[in-house]
């Protein structure tokens, strides 16, 4: 079973980032943890943001502000793709009638 939330130690391990990187992303509100049972946890979407931010900053040389913009644009594109897929699905249903 896939868990919906991960502890910071798990995020650090999965994304191969230092604690300081997580702290910076939190301070800049690029990621937002959830508090559960007095423990900070991260949704899978937040973990993906950490992974992509790390890729942009460390591998591609994008600064923090640029990574934030790129993450926002990426999320908008994903949302648009979902909407497009929904429209295609509705069109296919309509054409079958």
């Amino acid at each position: 079973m896939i868990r919906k939330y991960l502890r910071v130690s798990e995020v650090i391990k999965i994304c191969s980032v230092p604690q300081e990187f997580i702290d910076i992303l939190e301070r800049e509100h690029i990621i937002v943890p959830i508090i559960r049972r007095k423990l900070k946890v991260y949704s899978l979407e937040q973990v993906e943001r950490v992974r992509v931010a790390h890729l942009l900053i460390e591998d591609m040389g994008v600064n923090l502000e640029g990574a934030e913009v790129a993450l926002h644009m990426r999320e908008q594109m994903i949302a648009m793709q979902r909407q497009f897929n929904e429209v295609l699905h509705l069109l296919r249903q309509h054409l079958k009638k």
Side-chain angles (χ1 to χ4, degrees):
M1 175 199 244
I2 296 176
R3 293 185 7 234
K4 292 182 181 180
Y5 299 98
L6 301 174
R7 295 184 306 268
V8 68
S9 60
E10 295 169 309
V11 176
I12 289 168
K13 186 175 181 180
I14 289 169
C15 297
S16 300
V17 298
Q19 175 70 51
E20 295 77 23
F21 188 76
I22 301 290
D23 295 341
I24 291 168
L25 295 181
E26 280 185 31
R27 190 169 44 250
E28 296 297 323
H29 304 288
I30 294 173
I31 60 169
V32 180
I34 297 167
I35 306 299
R36 288 206 148 167
R37 299 183 199 129
K38 300 180 183 179
L39 182 68
K40 265 199 265 190
V41 293
Y42 302 84
S43 68
L44 298 179
E45 292 83 13
Q46 295 297 297
V47 175
E48 179 66 5
R49 286 179 69 86
V50 171
R51 188 189 68 75
V52 173
H54 187 254
L55 173 76
L56 289 167
I57 293 168
E58 295 299 322
D59 295 347
M60 301 178 121
V62 176
N63 65 19
L64 191 59
E65 294 80 13
E68 185 174 12
V69 169
L71 285 165
H72 181 70
M73 289 174 58
R74 180 178 184 269
E75 289 167 357
Q76 286 182 321
M77 288 175 17
I78 290 169
M80 289 171 59
Q81 182 66 49
R82 284 188 188 124
Q83 290 174 341
F84 182 73
N85 289 340
E86 288 174 21
V87 169
L88 283 179
H89 177 72
L90 291 172
L91 283 172
R92 286 184 186 123
Q93 285 183 333
H94 181 71
L95 292 173
K96 288 181 182 179
K97 292 181 181 181

